[in-house]
């Protein structure tokens, strides 16, 4: 009887401590787009790695990176996963932001590029003048890199009719004839080829140097300064998730399907990107710094060292 009472007391105490821990966890809203590179965040949420490091993280889906930056500025999100080009434009306009981790680096083994309809008459970059091309966020990574690729290969990106779409729409709007082509990445690029009868005419991501980051976990500098422990915990949770992904393929794909709302059969055949969370100021961002300035998206170089929050001990 005494053991039973003692056991009950210990259980009650453990539950109380757990409740206190939950209450003490800092609440963080993380905004993301529906893409495979963000898998570490999905795993950190589903497998309890955020909670393990004292964080209460709520994931919220956004249509594009510009909306994510706006949420960071307004305070409706504390962490977001936009692309570097979008973040650099915001910094150039006076917004104080920092990167605390990355999602993946190039080269990317998954399919990506410009997918065009069979009736568009587009064979290559030189044929894009006057054509309507959908991009997931004007001024975002896929838009800017696609334009640079066109200009480097004999086309004129200024003559393209660019319209904004969301990545999950890629196949549907191409099939409906609402656009002549879409700048897309897997799993949406492959689906645009298979379900909409599109043709992949070139992978514009090939112009990006190896080691360059694709998307970044971004925060306001003021928030990062006031929440150093949370930043370190967030980074540690992502690293835990990275280790889990390597040994739990089934669970990883289940989380990916859950947060991107993609059909499980599509996710099952998806090649994972080159995941990497740690940042190096020069190697990670030099290409984006130069490209943003070259394309007239920024007026000055970004201070990459000040922008990058390194992992503890680095």
């Amino acid at each position: 009887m005494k053991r039973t009472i003692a056991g009950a007391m210990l259980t009650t105490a453990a539950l109380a401590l757990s409740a206190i821990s939950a209450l003490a966890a800092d609440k963080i809203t993380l905004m993301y787009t529906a893409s495979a590179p963000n898998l570490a965040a999905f795993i950190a949420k589903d497998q309890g790695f955020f909670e393990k490091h004292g964080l209460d993280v709520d994931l919220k889906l956004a249509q594009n990176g510009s909306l994510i930056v706006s949420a960071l500025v307004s305070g409706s999100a504390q962490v977001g996963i936009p692309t570097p080009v979008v973040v650099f434009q915001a910094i150039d306009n006076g917004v104080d932001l920092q990167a605390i981790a990355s999602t993946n680096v190039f080269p990317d083994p998954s399919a990506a590029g410009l997918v065009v309809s069979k009736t568009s008459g587009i064979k290559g970059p030189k044929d894009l003048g006057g054509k309507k091309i959908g991009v997931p966020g004007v001024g975002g990574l896929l838009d800017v890199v696609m334009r640079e690729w066109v200009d480097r290969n004999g086309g004129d990106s200024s003559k393209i009719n660019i319209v904004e779409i969301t990545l999950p729409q890629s196949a549907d709007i191409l099939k409906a004839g609402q656009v002549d082509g879409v700048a897309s990445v897997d799993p949406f690029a492959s689906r645009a080829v298979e379900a909409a009868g599109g043709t992949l005419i070139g992978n514009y991501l090939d112009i990006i140097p190896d080691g360059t980051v694709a998307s970044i976990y971004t925060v306001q500098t003021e928030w990062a300064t006031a929440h150093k422990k949370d930043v370190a915990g967030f980074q540690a949770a992502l690293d835990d998730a990275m280790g889990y992904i390597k040994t739990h393929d089934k669970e990883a794909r289940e989380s990916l399907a859950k947060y991107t709302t993609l059909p499980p059969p599509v996710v099952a055949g998806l090649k994972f990107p080159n995941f990497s969370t740690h940042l190096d100021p020069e190697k990670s961002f030099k290409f984006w710094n130069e490209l943003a300035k070259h394309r007239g998206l920024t007026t000055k170089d970004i201070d990459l060292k000040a922008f990058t929050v390194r992992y503890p001990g680095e």
Side-chain angles (χ1 to χ4, degrees):
M1 182 68 176
K2 288 183 179 179
R3 288 183 180 180
T4 302
I5 293 173
M9 291 176 66
L10 286 171
T11 301
T12 302
L15 289 172
L17 286 172
S18 176
I20 291 171
S21 176
L23 288 172
D26 291 317
K27 284 189 170 293
I28 295 173
T29 295
L30 168 63
M31 289 194 74
Y32 70 97
T33 53
S35 61
N38 300 333
L39 180 58
F42 308 154
I43 292 296
K45 174 66 175 179
D46 285 351
Q47 300 303 323
F49 296 129
F50 284 136
E51 186 178 3
K52 169 187 170 183
H53 292 283
L55 305 173
D56 181 3
V57 179
D58 178 39
L59 272 61
K60 186 175 181 181
L61 179 64
Q63 289 188 342
N64 58 55
S66 296
L67 294 176
I68 292 175
V69 170
S70 296
L72 291 174
V73 172
S74 69
S76 57
Q78 288 69 50
V79 184
I81 319 178
T83 58
V85 172
V86 172
V87 177
F88 285 3
Q89 291 176 77
I91 293 174
D92 195 63
N93 287 315
V95 182
D96 202 358
L97 300 172
Q98 288 183 301
I100 62 173
S102 66
T103 57
N104 61 305
V105 297
F106 294 96
D108 192 331
S110 58
L114 188 59
V115 183
V116 301
S117 68
K118 291 182 178 179
T119 60
S120 67
I122 302 171
K123 303 297 182 183
K126 296 179 181 179
D127 305 318
L128 291 169
K131 300 296 185 179
K132 184 183 288 187
I133 304 298
V135 302
V138 173
L141 185 151
L142 298 187
D143 173 34
V144 175
V145 175
M146 186 267 293
R147 293 178 196 245
E148 181 68 13
W149 172 78
V150 168
D151 292 338
R152 289 187 186 186
N153 289 278
D156 186 349
S157 64
S158 67
K159 295 181 179 179
I160 303 174
N161 180 13
I162 300 290
V163 296
E164 196 165 80
I165 65 168
T166 62
L167 281 173
Q169 291 179 307
S170 297
D172 293 337
I173 66 168
L174 191 66
K175 187 175 182 178
Q178 295 177 316
V179 294
D180 297 301
V182 291
S184 193
V185 295
D186 260 356
F188 311 105
S190 292
R191 189 165 180 268
V193 172
E194 296 164 5
T199 301
L200 184 66
I201 65 165
N203 184 354
Y204 43 77
L205 298 182
D206 286 343
I207 71 172
I208 302 175
D210 291 357
T212 303
V213 300
S215 299
I216 43 178
Y217 291 87
T218 306
V219 299
Q220 284 204 64
T221 300
E222 183 180 4
W223 186 88
T225 301
H227 297 82
K228 291 182 179 180
K229 183 179 178 181
D230 291 343
V231 170
F234 200 99
Q235 293 170 327
L238 292 178
D239 273 0
D240 286 348
M242 293 283 287
Y244 185 90
I245 291 169
K246 293 177 181 178
T247 56
H248 295 77
D249 185 79
K250 177 178 177 291
E251 292 83 354
R253 293 182 188 277
E254 288 174 350
S255 287
L256 184 58
K258 172 183 174 181
Y259 289 100
T260 62
T261 69
L262 287 166
V266 173
V267 174
L270 182 68
K271 290 183 179 179
F272 282 159
N274 188 8
F275 293 118
S276 179
T277 57
H278 292 235
L279 294 167
D280 176 87
E282 274 297 306
K283 190 173 184 179
S284 298
F285 298 115
K286 182 181 179 182
F287 172 78
W288 300 123
N289 209 3
E290 293 174 348
L291 183 64
K293 194 173 178 182
H294 169 66
R295 303 295 309 181
L297 301 174
T298 57
T299 59
K300 58 184 179 298
D301 287 331
I302 304 300
D303 184 342
L304 299 180
K305 288 187 177 180
F307 173 65
T308 307
V309 179
R310 304 300 294 270
Y311 271 61
E314 293 185 344

